[in-house]
Amino acid sequence: MGGESSSIGALVPTVKSELGSNNNAAAGEREQEQQQPEAMAVEEELAMPDRDILCPICMQLIKDAFLTSCGHSFCYMCIVTHLQNKSDCPCCSHFLTPNHLYPNFLLNKLLMKASACQIAKTATPAEQLHKALQQGYEVSVKELDSLLSFLAEKKRTLEQQEAETNMQIMLDFLHCLRNQKLGELNELQTDLQYIKEDINSVERHGIELYRSRDRYLTNVRMLGDDPRAKLSWPSLIEKRGGGVLPCFPGPQSQCHMGSSTSHNWKADEKTPSGSQIIQIKDANSDLDSQQLTQSGLLVARKKRVHAQFNDLQDCYMQRRRSSTRQSQKKDERDRREGYSTGLEDFQTVLSTFTRYSRLRVVAELRHGDLFHSANIVSSIEFDRDDELFATAGVSRRIKVFEFSSVVNEPADVPCPIAEMSTRSKLSCLSWNKYTKNHIASSDYEGIVTVWDVTTHQSVMEYEEHEKRAWSVDFSRTEPSMLVSGSDDCKVKIWCTNQEASVLNIDMKANICSVKYNPGSSIHIVVGSADHHIHYYDLRNTSQPVHIFSGHRKAVSYVKFLSNSELASASTDSTLRLWDVKENIPLRTFRGHTNEKNFVGLTVNSEYIACGSETNEVFVYHKAISKPAAWHKFGSDVQDADEDAGSYFISAVCWKSDSPTMLTANSQGTIKVLLLAE
């Protein structure tokens, strides 16, 4: 095999059926291939100038030929340049000086004729005619008239053909443009029909709400006509905690309190006491203030809609069209009245997106010594039940805090309930979602450690990575399995019941982040320095199931929002959302700054949050590409006047699906933030 390959070389693969059915065509092609070199050789021979008229120095056609005393001809500039360095003939080495050079008139004349013939062979007929007339070729007047008539007719024919061609091109363009615009018009009409249907659905729903409100007000009026019920109103107000009876705005809606209906009472019935009347007035006042507050919130939420109108419009149309396509596949009898699926989905997006506009600080604490430089928190994670959270970073310590104590106690530096020291700086933490007291860590020496928070001792240590390990993650469905990624370009799968790695994946670039799919123990995703995201099935790791491309720099984090939705962060200052089932990109998020540092990434079912190198935390709704809320560290502390550019957000973590989030920056400050209106 080796001898054959070296002698024959690589062969282009062919389809066998084509070889059997096209033998005659192949034979003809072989004959043509044999004839082609001969024809090419003849053409090259005709095109190749005579070697006798080439300058021996420059190997080009001789220009301004000069003859030497020894009988050789050269270009004048070539031989003069040669004699400036040497005093011999380049051909025969005979002694030669510039005085031994003579013009070769005969050769120059022959060269001019050869050049003219060469030009004539390559020139177009028009150029040849032009050249002949320039050289004084005699032509009669009659011949010139005939030639001019022919040229004029030829010109008209060419102009006609060009005009027809241009007209055809223009007509084709206009037809394509019309078809495109008709398609856009049809799509626009379809979209308008969707909008019309949804407006009718929302208006019908609004009418139902108004009818419910009217029924409620009718019950209130009936209650107002009962004197015994009036006496019980103050107690009802007290039971409602704040003294507010529900009241809906409307032209005929009124809140029937004791003082406002006292003129309907009979004279022999008991009148409410003074304290009860004061309580009723307070309830009216509280109700008015509540209505004003609700009105202000409504205006604020409408402003958020208009601020992100384009993104919301795209989201609405995408979901509406998608739901229509899905409903067309089903029987029309299965369609229920009311909101369509797409409208319901968009209603969820709209309500969740407009609900919050800012991040409010709930609690704040310092991680370690304020004046110590090694305070960067690289990772912060909640445990299985969101009762505890752990921090780790360059301080070489894992600290575990009780979340309720941090939020409820006023102490600036609450005492951790557990603390574990390590030999190296820590890069990542991952709680076991089944065994509450187990947490895994990865460090700068490439060591992956599983800790028992209760005993403060390590359960397992894995030291197979050759360089810094950036990421570690426990599987949610198989709690004994965990995955890690390192600068040694290797992804390793571990089992807490074994001392060695179970599986190893060699990659071509540094590994920045790894994550298990929350619904599967056989699928992992890898964020790499090669700008790509690799999605693997652990049953076959020879190649990834899919590679997601789109980031322009290293992928620093990967996180799953659900079994099919994946978020990624990169040092190109973008976040991206992917569908791992359909293998398609869904959205790109921009607003934060991230060009070199690990700034953290956290997700829940609706929101994506990350840090920024501007020392800010940004929150994005997964359906909108621009930030929904953000918070800047240092704005409410004494050192706010320091250079904010020297600090950056280093870790973030949602508290499950709640609006509460833990954040930390490179200064060692940890804040509990809450999404607020």
Side-chain angles (χ1 to χ4, degrees), residues 89-218:
C89 175
C91 293
C92 63
S93 300
H94 187 273
F95 177 74
L96 192 65
T97 65
N99 296 329
H100 299 144
L101 301 178
Y102 310 98
N104 193 340
F105 297 108
L106 179 60
L107 182 57
N108 278 330
K109 188 174 182 179
L110 292 173
L111 288 173
M112 289 179 64
K113 289 183 178 181
S115 178
C117 292
Q118 187 70 20
I119 293 173
K121 290 180 181 179
T122 58
T124 63
E127 291 174 344
Q128 292 178 3
L129 176 61
H130 189 269
K131 188 71 174 178
L133 294 175
Q134 278 186 336
Q135 292 177 353
Y137 181 76
E138 294 183 0
V139 184
S140 65
V141 175
K142 186 177 181 180
E143 290 176 337
L144 284 176
D145 288 339
S146 176
L147 182 60
L148 289 174
S149 299
F150 174 76
L151 292 176
E153 183 64 27
K154 186 67 175 178
K155 179 183 178 183
R156 284 193 297 271
T157 303
L158 292 176
E159 289 176 346
Q160 178 72 16
Q161 292 176 351
E162 185 177 2
E164 291 177 358
T165 302
N166 292 337
M167 182 197 66
Q168 187 64 40
I169 294 173
M170 176 63 75
L171 190 61
D172 290 344
F173 167 76
L174 292 176
H175 280 304
C176 292
L177 182 61
R178 182 188 64 178
N179 293 335
Q180 178 181 342
K181 293 303 179 181
L182 285 174
E184 293 176 358
L185 178 60
N186 292 333
E187 184 177 357
L188 183 60
Q189 289 175 342
T190 304
D191 292 345
L192 287 174
Q193 183 63 30
Y194 293 156
I195 296 171
K196 183 178 179 180
E197 293 175 359
D198 291 344
I199 288 175
N200 293 333
S201 298
V202 174
E203 287 178 346
R204 286 196 300 269
H205 185 61
I207 292 173
E208 293 175 0
L209 292 177
Y210 289 138
R211 288 176 178 173
S212 299
R213 182 197 65 184
D214 291 340
R215 286 194 296 269
Y216 171 78
L217 293 177
T218 301

Side-chain angles (χ1 to χ4, degrees), residues 43-54:
E43 292 178 0
E44 290 178 358
E45 184 176 353
L46 292 174
M48 184 72 68
D50 191 352
R51 297 182 65 86
D52 293 335
I53 59 176
L54 296 180

Side-chain angles (χ1 to χ4, degrees), residues 647-661:
Y647 303 120
F648 59 91
I649 303 300
S650 56
V652 290
C653 182
W654 285 113
K655 186 175 182 285
S656 295
D657 276 338
S658 74
T660 304
M661 175 173 50

Side-chain angles (χ1 to χ4, degrees), residues 60-78:
Q60 301 294 328
L61 284 175
I62 297 176
K63 296 180 180 179
D64 195 10
F66 267 67
L67 184 66
T68 64
S69 57
C70 55
H72 298 101
S73 295
F74 302 91
C75 298
Y76 175 73
M77 290 304 300
C78 291

Side-chain angles (χ1 to χ4, degrees), residues 507 509-510 512 526-534 547-556 558 568-572 574 576 578:
M507 301 184 66
N510 301 43
C512 301
V526 180
S528 174
D530 64 358
H531 309 177
H532 301 311
I533 302 163
H534 306 259
I547 298 178
F548 297 97
S549 302
H551 284 297
R552 294 181 289 105
K553 291 186 178 180
V555 179
S556 51
V558 285
S568 62
S570 169
T571 50
D572 61 5
T574 66
R576 289 180 181 266
W578 315 85

Side-chain angles (χ1 to χ4, degrees), residues 250-307:
Q252 298 178 351
S253 61
Q254 296 178 357
C255 295
H256 295 264
M257 299 299 176
S259 58
S260 62
T261 57
S262 59
H263 59 279
N264 294 327
W265 289 1
K266 295 180 180 180
D268 58 348
E269 292 179 343
K270 184 177 180 180
T271 304
S273 64
S275 61
Q276 292 173 342
I277 294 175
I278 293 175
Q279 289 179 348
I280 295 172
K281 290 182 178 179
D282 290 341
N284 282 323
S285 177
D286 292 341
L287 181 59
D288 292 338
S289 62
Q290 183 182 12
Q291 290 178 348
L292 291 174
T293 302
Q294 292 294 333
S295 177
L297 291 175
L298 177 61
V299 172
R301 295 182 72 172
K302 287 182 177 180
K303 287 182 178 179
R304 293 170 209 158
V305 170
H306 290 290

Side-chain angles (χ1 to χ4, degrees), residues 568-586:
S568 62
S570 169
T571 50
D572 61 5
S573 296
T574 66
L575 307 180
R576 289 180 181 266
L577 185 65
W578 315 85
D579 188 325
V580 296
K581 288 186 177 179
E582 301 295 333
N583 300 331
I584 57 173
L586 298 177

Side-chain angles (χ1 to χ4, degrees), residues 480-500:
S480 63
M481 305 299 295
L482 63 159
V483 60
S484 63
S486 166
D487 269 342
D488 60 6
C489 307
K490 294 179 180 179
V491 177
K492 291 184 178 291
I493 307 297
W494 314 92
C495 178
T496 55
N497 301 324
Q498 300 182 26
E499 296 183 355

